[in-house]
Amino acid sequence: MTQMLPGGPAPAGRAASPTGTQRAPGGVADTRGRHARPAAWDSAPPDQASPPGQAPSGDGPGWAGAQPGGGYRAHLNWERGYIRSLIGFDAGACVLAGAVAYAVRFGDFVEFATEPASTRPYAVATVLLPIVWVAAMALNRAYEPRFLGGGSEEFRRVVNAAIGVMATVGVASYATKAEIARAYVLVAFPLALLLTVLGRIIARGMLFRRRRLGLCLHRVLVVGAGESAETLVRLAQRDPTAGWSVVGVVLDRAPGRHSHDRPERSGFDLLGVPIVGTTETLHTAIRATRATTVAICPQIDGETLHRVLWNLEGSDVDVLVSSALTDVTGTRISIRPVAGLPLLHVDEPELTGSRRLMKATFDRLVALTAVTLLAPLLIGLGLAVRLTSRGPAIFRQVRVGRDGTHFTMYKFRSMYVDAEQRKAELLARNEGAGLLFKMRDDPRVTPVGRFLRKWSLDELPQLFNVLNGTMSLVGPRPPLPAEVARYERDVHRRLMVKPGLTGLWQISGRSNLAWDESVRLDLRYVENWTLAMDFVILWRTVFAVLRREGAY
């Protein structure tokens, strides 16, 4: 088991590279390894070596039962099944890509100037490609559990493995002067990569769906006290897709009255999670809760942290050491050792420069393409609005954009023209959070407007805002000037980037979100923006619109 902690060297073992650090909720660094069992585990009472009854199977944690000497081992049966499904997805992607490449190059679809002496080597390559591909993924640790199910590290490793395979084939063909049909290579490898990434996205979506149902979870024991432990528990409960089921809290000191072997009698809990002991009885608490992961809060002192890590050696329990940072993704964080002390280096958010230029270019190209393709739909929706109620088809409203500048935002009119005058009489029925006014059954909404809102079609004219540069495809929600006037100091950071047609707020519940949660999501986007994040948000927006969650 490796560790990131102040105060002395880590126990010997397999170290996790800085680039291979997984961020769990609350800025948690994943440390994993395998060692021989210490005496602390072997000395535990035999009746606590495994949970009562039969070992669970399927989606729950699997338990190997009593090890020699009563040792405890934790593993997840669902994790093994998920990895096998990924291997199947990757192999299937290569089979399909190889078959398509073979058909394109040697079929009758396209005529080529030259033909190889024999197609047998390509048929063999088509068969061997899935084996080589899966092996490359395994060597690049793309099947390592800590990189699966969250963050971008999994996809980075997939891309690196694919590039490695393509580079190896290119160098080998040049060194041996082998004649390779370039069309086959140019179709097979890029298509295999595309299908592999698509398969990983589908697998992750299936995993998230199961986690929302309470399956495929890690049983997490939080070690710490005070606000830091509370933050970890709250973050785990807020996002079920993170896969955390917090089963107990272990304090760094005794609270006065507790029981580590009978949590139901303790009389103490943290946000509904039982307090099951202290760090002195950590091994017993893990057995009692059947934990597979231990999350350690940052306030624990170095000596206690060492002791906790030593006690966990050989248990196969994953150890996560939290930092005090929240909502800062791994792309901005790296580990910098200074005098034997591993420190987190946090880069500034990139708000200017070449990537911003790329974002603006991408926004306008996509908006122009969308407006061109959707022109008949836009005209039809505009006529429907105009002909079914009095007033213009387009609703114009002043919003606040980047750096506090005001701009005119366009939407299809979904309310009657006297909506603003009637707002005062409806304030008592406001269901919106914080500074927002929202009603599920707003009488000011027209029948056509209700349909437009249900499918988020009223937002389509904002594509013209993207074209004129006042908005982006992805960004924070565009606020009203009256809202900005009531912002607290930190909330003004939302205005450091252009507002977006969609964003983290839309794919996370929209009008159903609490005000603080909406602000947190917008600030998280501002702090961690990347093009890859934009692509993910745009992809997830499609499903958010289809679910119609929070659209009213």
Side-chain angles (χ1 to χ4, degrees), residues 333-356:
I333 296 175
S334 58
I335 299 175
R336 176 181 294 181
V338 178
L341 182 68
L343 302 177
L344 293 180
H345 176 86
V346 184
D347 294 328
E348 291 185 8
E350 187 169 340
L351 303 175
T352 59
S354 59
R355 288 203 305 157
R356 286 291 171 185

PDB file of all heavy atoms in Angstrom, residues 333-356:
ATOM      1  N   ILE A 333      -4.118  19.267 -10.808  1.00  0.00           N
ATOM      2  CA  ILE A 333      -3.402  18.851  -9.609  1.00  0.00           C
ATOM      3  C   ILE A 333      -2.287  17.876  -9.964  1.00  0.00           C
ATOM      4  O   ILE A 333      -2.489  16.958 -10.753  1.00  0.00           O
ATOM      5  CB  ILE A 333      -4.360  18.189  -8.596  1.00  0.00           C
ATOM      6  CG1 ILE A 333      -5.399  19.213  -8.120  1.00  0.00           C
ATOM      7  CG2 ILE A 333      -3.609  17.650  -7.400  1.00  0.00           C
ATOM      8  CD1 ILE A 333      -6.445  18.633  -7.213  1.00  0.00           C
ATOM      9  N   SER A 334      -1.134  18.085  -9.399  1.00  0.00           N
ATOM     10  CA  SER A 334      -0.020  17.140  -9.532  1.00  0.00           C
ATOM     11  C   SER A 334       0.689  17.068  -8.182  1.00  0.00           C
ATOM     12  O   SER A 334       0.516  17.936  -7.322  1.00  0.00           O
ATOM     13  CB  SER A 334       0.954  17.576 -10.633  1.00  0.00           C
ATOM     14  OG  SER A 334       1.461  18.870 -10.368  1.00  0.00           O
ATOM     15  N   ILE A 335       1.498  16.027  -8.011  1.00  0.00           N
ATOM     16  CA  ILE A 335       2.211  15.830  -6.749  1.00  0.00           C
ATOM     17  C   ILE A 335       3.650  16.311  -6.903  1.00  0.00           C
ATOM     18  O   ILE A 335       4.349  15.914  -7.842  1.00  0.00           O
ATOM     19  CB  ILE A 335       2.181  14.352  -6.336  1.00  0.00           C
ATOM     20  CG1 ILE A 335       0.735  13.907  -6.138  1.00  0.00           C
ATOM     21  CG2 ILE A 335       2.981  14.137  -5.053  1.00  0.00           C
ATOM     22  CD1 ILE A 335       0.588  12.440  -5.845  1.00  0.00           C
ATOM     23  N   ARG A 336       4.081  17.162  -5.998  1.00  0.00           N
ATOM     24  CA  ARG A 336       5.447  17.683  -6.036  1.00  0.00           C
ATOM     25  C   ARG A 336       6.126  17.346  -4.708  1.00  0.00           C
ATOM     26  O   ARG A 336       5.806  17.938  -3.678  1.00  0.00           O
ATOM     27  CB  ARG A 336       5.450  19.196  -6.259  1.00  0.00           C
ATOM     28  CG  ARG A 336       6.843  19.810  -6.217  1.00  0.00           C
ATOM     29  CD  ARG A 336       6.810  21.297  -6.424  1.00  0.00           C
ATOM     30  NE  ARG A 336       6.366  21.650  -7.761  1.00  0.00           N
ATOM     31  CZ  ARG A 336       6.267  22.914  -8.195  1.00  0.00           C
ATOM     32  NH1 ARG A 336       6.565  23.907  -7.386  1.00  0.00           N
ATOM     33  NH2 ARG A 336       5.862  23.152  -9.425  1.00  0.00           N
ATOM     34  N   PRO A 337       7.072  16.401  -4.702  1.00  0.00           N
ATOM     35  CA  PRO A 337       7.765  16.072  -3.450  1.00  0.00           C
ATOM     36  C   PRO A 337       8.783  17.150  -3.093  1.00  0.00           C
ATOM     37  O   PRO A 337       9.597  17.568  -3.916  1.00  0.00           O
ATOM     38  CB  PRO A 337       8.450  14.739  -3.776  1.00  0.00           C
ATOM     39  CG  PRO A 337       8.598  14.738  -5.269  1.00  0.00           C
ATOM     40  CD  PRO A 337       7.472  15.543  -5.825  1.00  0.00           C
ATOM     41  N   VAL A 338       8.745  17.596  -1.859  1.00  0.00           N
ATOM     42  CA  VAL A 338       9.682  18.602  -1.351  1.00  0.00           C
ATOM     43  C   VAL A 338      10.224  18.108  -0.023  1.00  0.00           C
ATOM     44  O   VAL A 338       9.475  17.971   0.944  1.00  0.00           O
ATOM     45  CB  VAL A 338       9.003  19.972  -1.179  1.00  0.00           C
ATOM     46  CG1 VAL A 338       9.993  20.984  -0.591  1.00  0.00           C
ATOM     47  CG2 VAL A 338       8.441  20.471  -2.507  1.00  0.00           C
ATOM     48  N   ALA A 339      11.531  17.794   0.011  1.00  0.00           N
ATOM     49  CA  ALA A 339      12.194  17.338   1.238  1.00  0.00           C
ATOM     50  C   ALA A 339      11.474  16.137   1.849  1.00  0.00           C
ATOM     51  O   ALA A 339      11.287  16.056   3.064  1.00  0.00           O
ATOM     52  CB  ALA A 339      12.298  18.472   2.242  1.00  0.00           C
ATOM     53  N   GLY A 340      11.056  15.218   0.986  1.00  0.00           N
ATOM     54  CA  GLY A 340      10.379  14.020   1.461  1.00  0.00           C
ATOM     55  C   GLY A 340       8.906  14.211   1.771  1.00  0.00           C
ATOM     56  O   GLY A 340       8.235  13.271   2.212  1.00  0.00           O
ATOM     57  N   LEU A 341       8.386  15.427   1.555  1.00  0.00           N
ATOM     58  CA  LEU A 341       6.981  15.716   1.834  1.00  0.00           C
ATOM     59  C   LEU A 341       6.225  15.850   0.520  1.00  0.00           C
ATOM     60  O   LEU A 341       6.485  16.768  -0.262  1.00  0.00           O
ATOM     61  CB  LEU A 341       6.869  17.014   2.628  1.00  0.00           C
ATOM     62  CG  LEU A 341       5.461  17.432   3.054  1.00  0.00           C
ATOM     63  CD1 LEU A 341       4.921  16.455   4.093  1.00  0.00           C
ATOM     64  CD2 LEU A 341       5.485  18.844   3.615  1.00  0.00           C
ATOM     65  N   PRO A 342       5.289  14.934   0.214  1.00  0.00           N
ATOM     66  CA  PRO A 342       4.528  15.037  -1.028  1.00  0.00           C
ATOM     67  C   PRO A 342       3.483  16.153  -0.924  1.00  0.00           C
ATOM     68  O   PRO A 342       2.561  16.072  -0.116  1.00  0.00           O
ATOM     69  CB  PRO A 342       3.848  13.673  -1.167  1.00  0.00           C
ATOM     70  CG  PRO A 342       4.201  12.883   0.026  1.00  0.00           C
ATOM     71  CD  PRO A 342       4.940  13.735   0.982  1.00  0.00           C
ATOM     72  N   LEU A 343       3.650  17.178  -1.733  1.00  0.00           N
ATOM     73  CA  LEU A 343       2.739  18.313  -1.727  1.00  0.00           C
ATOM     74  C   LEU A 343       1.919  18.325  -3.008  1.00  0.00           C
ATOM     75  O   LEU A 343       2.380  17.911  -4.064  1.00  0.00           O
ATOM     76  CB  LEU A 343       3.516  19.625  -1.598  1.00  0.00           C
ATOM     77  CG  LEU A 343       4.401  19.768  -0.359  1.00  0.00           C
ATOM     78  CD1 LEU A 343       5.155  21.097  -0.410  1.00  0.00           C
ATOM     79  CD2 LEU A 343       3.570  19.683   0.913  1.00  0.00           C
ATOM     80  N   LEU A 344       0.688  18.833  -2.906  1.00  0.00           N
ATOM     81  CA  LEU A 344      -0.170  18.980  -4.074  1.00  0.00           C
ATOM     82  C   LEU A 344       0.121  20.316  -4.745  1.00  0.00           C
ATOM     83  O   LEU A 344       0.027  21.371  -4.112  1.00  0.00           O
ATOM     84  CB  LEU A 344      -1.644  18.916  -3.670  1.00  0.00           C
ATOM     85  CG  LEU A 344      -2.168  17.580  -3.150  1.00  0.00           C
ATOM     86  CD1 LEU A 344      -3.646  17.709  -2.807  1.00  0.00           C
ATOM     87  CD2 LEU A 344      -1.961  16.474  -4.164  1.00  0.00           C
ATOM     88  N   HIS A 345       0.484  20.253  -6.023  1.00  0.00           N
ATOM     89  CA  HIS A 345       0.660  21.474  -6.803  1.00  0.00           C
ATOM     90  C   HIS A 345      -0.627  21.728  -7.577  1.00  0.00           C
ATOM     91  O   HIS A 345      -1.094  20.869  -8.321  1.00  0.00           O
ATOM     92  CB  HIS A 345       1.834  21.335  -7.775  1.00  0.00           C
ATOM     93  CG  HIS A 345       1.999  22.521  -8.677  1.00  0.00           C
ATOM     94  ND1 HIS A 345       2.720  23.633  -8.318  1.00  0.00           N
ATOM     95  CD2 HIS A 345       1.514  22.768  -9.926  1.00  0.00           C
ATOM     96  CE1 HIS A 345       2.687  24.519  -9.304  1.00  0.00           C
ATOM     97  NE2 HIS A 345       1.952  24.014 -10.280  1.00  0.00           N
ATOM     98  N   VAL A 346      -1.224  22.902  -7.390  1.00  0.00           N
ATOM     99  CA  VAL A 346      -2.497  23.241  -8.018  1.00  0.00           C
ATOM    100  C   VAL A 346      -2.256  24.328  -9.058  1.00  0.00           C
ATOM    101  O   VAL A 346      -1.816  25.434  -8.730  1.00  0.00           O
ATOM    102  CB  VAL A 346      -3.525  23.719  -6.971  1.00  0.00           C
ATOM    103  CG1 VAL A 346      -4.876  23.982  -7.638  1.00  0.00           C
ATOM    104  CG2 VAL A 346      -3.676  22.687  -5.860  1.00  0.00           C
ATOM    105  N   ASP A 347      -2.521  24.023 -10.326  1.00  0.00           N
ATOM    106  CA  ASP A 347      -2.380  25.003 -11.397  1.00  0.00           C
ATOM    107  C   ASP A 347      -3.542  25.989 -11.362  1.00  0.00           C
ATOM    108  O   ASP A 347      -4.650  25.668 -10.912  1.00  0.00           O
ATOM    109  CB  ASP A 347      -2.364  24.313 -12.768  1.00  0.00           C
ATOM    110  CG  ASP A 347      -1.131  23.438 -12.948  1.00  0.00           C
ATOM    111  OD1 ASP A 347      -0.078  23.789 -12.395  1.00  0.00           O
ATOM    112  OD2 ASP A 347      -1.239  22.408 -13.639  1.00  0.00           O
ATOM    113  N   GLU A 348      -3.292  27.195 -11.871  1.00  0.00           N
ATOM    114  CA  GLU A 348      -4.366  28.179 -11.984  1.00  0.00           C
ATOM    115  C   GLU A 348      -5.357  27.736 -13.067  1.00  0.00           C
ATOM    116  O   GLU A 348      -4.973  27.091 -14.038  1.00  0.00           O
ATOM    117  CB  GLU A 348      -3.792  29.550 -12.357  1.00  0.00           C
ATOM    118  CG  GLU A 348      -2.964  30.202 -11.266  1.00  0.00           C
ATOM    119  CD  GLU A 348      -2.534  31.602 -11.653  1.00  0.00           C
ATOM    120  OE1 GLU A 348      -3.012  32.088 -12.704  1.00  0.00           O
ATOM    121  OE2 GLU A 348      -1.737  32.198 -10.922  1.00  0.00           O
ATOM    122  N   PRO A 349      -6.637  28.096 -12.915  1.00  0.00           N
ATOM    123  CA  PRO A 349      -7.592  27.781 -13.989  1.00  0.00           C
ATOM    124  C   PRO A 349      -7.222  28.552 -15.249  1.00  0.00           C
ATOM    125  O   PRO A 349      -6.831  29.721 -15.188  1.00  0.00           O
ATOM    126  CB  PRO A 349      -8.937  28.250 -13.419  1.00  0.00           C
ATOM    127  CG  PRO A 349      -8.592  29.217 -12.332  1.00  0.00           C
ATOM    128  CD  PRO A 349      -7.282  28.774 -11.771  1.00  0.00           C
ATOM    129  N   GLU A 350      -7.322  27.887 -16.374  1.00  0.00           N
ATOM    130  CA  GLU A 350      -6.927  28.502 -17.647  1.00  0.00           C
ATOM    131  C   GLU A 350      -8.118  29.234 -18.242  1.00  0.00           C
ATOM    132  O   GLU A 350      -9.046  28.628 -18.788  1.00  0.00           O
ATOM    133  CB  GLU A 350      -6.428  27.434 -18.626  1.00  0.00           C
ATOM    134  CG  GLU A 350      -5.845  28.032 -19.886  1.00  0.00           C
ATOM    135  CD  GLU A 350      -5.115  27.003 -20.732  1.00  0.00           C
ATOM    136  OE1 GLU A 350      -4.745  25.959 -20.194  1.00  0.00           O
ATOM    137  OE2 GLU A 350      -4.921  27.248 -21.928  1.00  0.00           O
ATOM    138  N   LEU A 351      -8.108  30.557 -18.107  1.00  0.00           N
ATOM    139  CA  LEU A 351      -9.223  31.378 -18.565  1.00  0.00           C
ATOM    140  C   LEU A 351      -8.902  32.148 -19.841  1.00  0.00           C
ATOM    141  O   LEU A 351      -9.785  32.794 -20.414  1.00  0.00           O
ATOM    142  CB  LEU A 351      -9.631  32.361 -17.460  1.00  0.00           C
ATOM    143  CG  LEU A 351     -10.025  31.711 -16.121  1.00  0.00           C
ATOM    144  CD1 LEU A 351     -10.295  32.780 -15.081  1.00  0.00           C
ATOM    145  CD2 LEU A 351     -11.226  30.820 -16.305  1.00  0.00           C
ATOM    146  N   THR A 352      -7.651  32.129 -20.273  1.00  0.00           N
ATOM    147  CA  THR A 352      -7.247  32.803 -21.514  1.00  0.00           C
ATOM    148  C   THR A 352      -6.289  31.893 -22.264  1.00  0.00           C
ATOM    149  O   THR A 352      -5.905  30.837 -21.766  1.00  0.00           O
ATOM    150  CB  THR A 352      -6.549  34.154 -21.210  1.00  0.00           C
ATOM    151  OG1 THR A 352      -5.394  33.890 -20.387  1.00  0.00           O
ATOM    152  CG2 THR A 352      -7.486  35.104 -20.488  1.00  0.00           C
ATOM    153  N   GLY A 353      -5.890  32.323 -23.464  1.00  0.00           N
ATOM    154  CA  GLY A 353      -4.881  31.577 -24.211  1.00  0.00           C
ATOM    155  C   GLY A 353      -5.447  30.783 -25.365  1.00  0.00           C
ATOM    156  O   GLY A 353      -6.600  30.964 -25.794  1.00  0.00           O
ATOM    157  N   SER A 354      -4.614  29.867 -25.872  1.00  0.00           N
ATOM    158  CA  SER A 354      -4.949  29.139 -27.094  1.00  0.00           C
ATOM    159  C   SER A 354      -6.162  28.226 -26.924  1.00  0.00           C
ATOM    160  O   SER A 354      -6.964  28.063 -27.841  1.00  0.00           O
ATOM    161  CB  SER A 354      -3.744  28.311 -27.549  1.00  0.00           C
ATOM    162  OG  SER A 354      -3.354  27.398 -26.541  1.00  0.00           O
ATOM    163  N   ARG A 355      -6.303  27.648 -25.740  1.00  0.00           N
ATOM    164  CA  ARG A 355      -7.441  26.747 -25.539  1.00  0.00           C
ATOM    165  C   ARG A 355      -8.752  27.524 -25.575  1.00  0.00           C
ATOM    166  O   ARG A 355      -9.776  27.015 -26.039  1.00  0.00           O
ATOM    167  CB  ARG A 355      -7.299  25.994 -24.224  1.00  0.00           C
ATOM    168  CG  ARG A 355      -6.219  24.922 -24.239  1.00  0.00           C
ATOM    169  CD  ARG A 355      -6.467  23.871 -23.195  1.00  0.00           C
ATOM    170  NE  ARG A 355      -6.613  24.448 -21.859  1.00  0.00           N
ATOM    171  CZ  ARG A 355      -7.247  23.842 -20.859  1.00  0.00           C
ATOM    172  NH1 ARG A 355      -7.815  22.677 -21.053  1.00  0.00           N
ATOM    173  NH2 ARG A 355      -7.327  24.418 -19.669  1.00  0.00           N
ATOM    174  N   ARG A 356      -8.754  28.744 -25.077  1.00  0.00           N
ATOM    175  CA  ARG A 356      -9.956  29.573 -25.154  1.00  0.00           C
ATOM    176  C   ARG A 356     -10.283  29.908 -26.604  1.00  0.00           C
ATOM    177  O   ARG A 356     -11.448  29.943 -27.004  1.00  0.00           O
ATOM    178  CB  ARG A 356      -9.758  30.861 -24.353  1.00  0.00           C
ATOM    179  CG  ARG A 356      -9.823  30.644 -22.862  1.00  0.00           C
ATOM    180  CD  ARG A 356     -11.236  30.275 -22.434  1.00  0.00           C
ATOM    181  NE  ARG A 356     -11.278  29.865 -21.041  1.00  0.00           N
ATOM    182  CZ  ARG A 356     -12.354  29.399 -20.424  1.00  0.00           C
ATOM    183  NH1 ARG A 356     -13.468  29.260 -21.097  1.00  0.00           N
ATOM    184  NH2 ARG A 356     -12.306  29.047 -19.167  1.00  0.00           N
TER     185      ARG A 356
END
